[in-house]
Amino acid sequence: MTCFFDSVINKRTTNEDSFAKMEMSLNHEAGLCCLAVADGMGGLAAGKEYSAAAIKLWYREMVRTLLSDEFADKSLEDQLEVLKEHTAKTYAKIGRILYKKGLDTGLRGGTTLTTVLGMLPLAVGRGEGAEMWNGL
């Protein structure tokens, strides 16, 4: 089910949001789906630049984490922990970089950043393990 809300009040002619989607197979058991949305602050001069920069930085750090020795050849539970730590560190790093960008360039901007990380089974069937898809 998909829901969205649209307002005609204070509607802007430009959209200053950015997004990214990443999917990859982790192993024979699971895949990873990552979604990130940065909502640029349209009331400020550089909302679009800040949202685009946040997504670019998030994507770069996610790839770096997924290719790291810290992540490779770990159990799914350990990989989840690495991703949790990655998220906290990445959000702090993005905040520092964007804050410095504003000081260095004088551009006034801002963005929010929301990410969703999901591990999905690669094979779904009605046999063993199918109980996760059926009510208890």
Side-chain angles (χ1 to χ4, degrees):
M1 179 169 130
T2 303
C3 297
F4 69 92
F5 298 95
D6 191 15
S7 173
V8 294
I9 301 171
N10 296 326
K11 197 166 203 160
R12 291 184 167 51
T13 58
T14 59
N15 185 339
E16 301 200 353
D17 303 346
S18 300
F19 72 94
K21 179 181 177 186
M22 178 188 301
E23 293 180 359
M24 68 175 287
S25 174
L26 296 176
N27 56 36
H28 68 279
E29 296 175 354
L32 180 67
C33 181
C34 309
L35 305 170
V37 176
D39 184 0
M41 294 180 181
L44 299 175
K48 179 65 177 171
E49 290 82 1
Y50 274 66
S51 72
I55 290 295
K56 184 177 179 179
L57 291 165
W58 172 83
Y59 194 89
R60 183 185 70 197
E61 293 300 315
M62 178 60 82
V63 169
R64 187 174 290 162
T65 297
L66 295 173
L67 296 176
S68 72
D69 290 337
E70 182 183 6
F71 189 81
D73 299 323
K74 301 283 193 249
S75 70
L76 289 177
E77 292 81 14
D78 290 342
Q79 288 176 334
L80 276 174
E81 288 304 315
V82 170
L83 290 173
K84 286 179 191 176
E85 291 174 17
H86 153 82
T87 299
K89 290 177 186 176
T90 298
Y91 272 56
K93 185 175 186 176
I94 289 170
R96 287 191 308 272
I97 290 170
L98 293 181
Y99 180 74
K100 184 176 182 328
K101 176 182 179 172
L103 293 177
D104 293 346
T105 64
L107 286 175
R108 294 197 56 202
T111 188
T112 61
L113 179 62
T114 304
T115 56
V116 176
L117 307 175
M119 289 191 159
L120 309 169
L122 291 180
V124 177
R126 297 276 181 205
E128 185 175 333
E131 60 273 1
M132 67 184 284
W133 299 103
N134 298 323
L136 296 176

